[in-house]
Amino acid sequence: MSRSWPRGPRRRYAPRPPRNLWRRLLDYGLTAIVLGLFILVAARLDRFETRKEQGTAIVNDGDSLTLGTERIRMRGIDAPEYTQTCRKESADYPCGRLARQSLVRLIANRPVSCRGWQRDRYGRLLGDCKAGDTDLNRAQVQAGWAVAFGDFETEETVARAAKIGIWAGSFEEPQDWRDSHHDQPTERKHGALPSLGDALRELVRFW
């Protein structure tokens, strides 16, 4: 048994009228903008290239060092400033100097390598640093001579519970100490949101 369907009137499609001049100019303009953005992104990709520095390190304090001519700020941690003091057993002690000594011990005269792509407001490379197989950023927090500053929160929790390093007494957060000493540099955390902000700024920077 076959079925037949009634055929209605066939629709006729008229060709679309050509776009007016202003619409075409708008399309061309949007295309040019998109291409310009692609060119800008391609031109700025070199700013996201990871830099690697290695060699004999000069330790400046508990979270910064120099490799050759490159100043490195260790990413994700914050150690007491070199002139900062902390308190333990009702007495002040030079926790900033001890934090530097801790980093010197961790390096143990070995070559240091640091990798990173961001820079802080002072032009220092925010780096993840190693001496041999030792992750220096992580180890400083584990040893209790630096606090988490955007990373390594788990390591900080363990060090605090063990009351080692600066956690053996009382101290002012390095960031707060810098804020109260106006001759000291100010910094912001090195976490995911600041990193995203840095990336967006690099994309739109023309100089």
Side-chain angles (χ1 to χ4, degrees):
M1 180 177 180
S2 62
R3 294 184 180 182
S4 60
W5 300 93
R7 295 184 177 180
R10 298 180 64 181
R11 294 182 179 179
R12 295 183 178 179
Y13 296 94
R16 292 182 180 180
R19 290 177 295 180
N20 61 43
L21 176 62
W22 290 111
R23 178 60 184 274
R24 282 183 291 174
L25 289 176
L26 178 61
D27 290 344
Y28 294 151
L30 291 175
T31 301
I33 291 173
V34 171
L35 288 176
L37 288 175
F38 277 120
I39 293 172
L40 176 61
V41 170
R44 293 300 168 191
L45 284 178
D46 64 312
R47 292 184 177 270
F48 302 125
E49 181 181 0
T50 299
R51 293 182 59 86
K52 181 176 181 180
E53 301 291 337
Q54 55 187 354
T56 301
I58 298 174
V59 179
N60 304 319
D61 55 31
D63 56 23
S64 64
L65 46 86
T66 302
L67 292 175
T69 60
E70 187 73 80
R71 296 181 303 152
I72 312 291
R73 174 62 168 87
M74 295 168 68
R75 185 198 62 81
I77 73 173
D78 199 13
E81 295 298 321
Y82 185 70
T83 58
Q84 183 175 346
T85 59
C86 301
R87 196 162 183 82
K88 182 171 62 175
E89 298 176 354
S90 302
D92 292 339
Y93 72 97
C95 56
R97 293 184 181 182
L98 294 180
R100 179 185 180 277
Q101 291 175 14
S102 172
L103 184 55
V104 170
R105 287 194 301 271
L106 288 170
I107 294 173
N109 294 319
R110 294 175 292 177
V112 172
S113 64
C114 296
R115 300 172 62 92
W117 64 270
Q118 293 172 272
R119 291 188 181 274
D120 66 9
R121 63 173 64 187
Y122 306 101
R124 298 177 299 181
L125 181 69
L126 294 178
D128 296 296
C129 300
K130 286 187 174 183
D133 294 329
T134 303
D135 182 332
L136 297 175
N137 303 50
R138 186 183 307 277
Q140 270 290 75
V141 179
Q142 290 174 330
W145 290 111
V147 299
F149 203 57
D151 205 346
F152 310 111
E153 284 83 3
T154 300
E155 289 78 5
E156 179 189 281
T157 300
V158 173
R160 184 192 301 131
K163 296 183 178 181
I164 56 177
I166 53 179
W167 302 106
S170 61
F171 65 94
E172 192 174 7
E173 290 276 350
Q175 180 66 66
D176 295 336
W177 189 88
R178 288 191 295 269
D179 289 343
S180 63
H181 292 72
H182 301 297
D183 58 333
Q184 298 296 320
T186 58
E187 298 183 44
R188 58 193 176 89
K189 288 190 174 182
H190 311 151
L193 286 178
S195 297
L196 178 59
D198 287 345
L200 292 175
R201 278 190 294 274
E202 292 295 347
L203 283 177
V204 301
R205 187 186 299 175
F206 287 89
W207 55 88

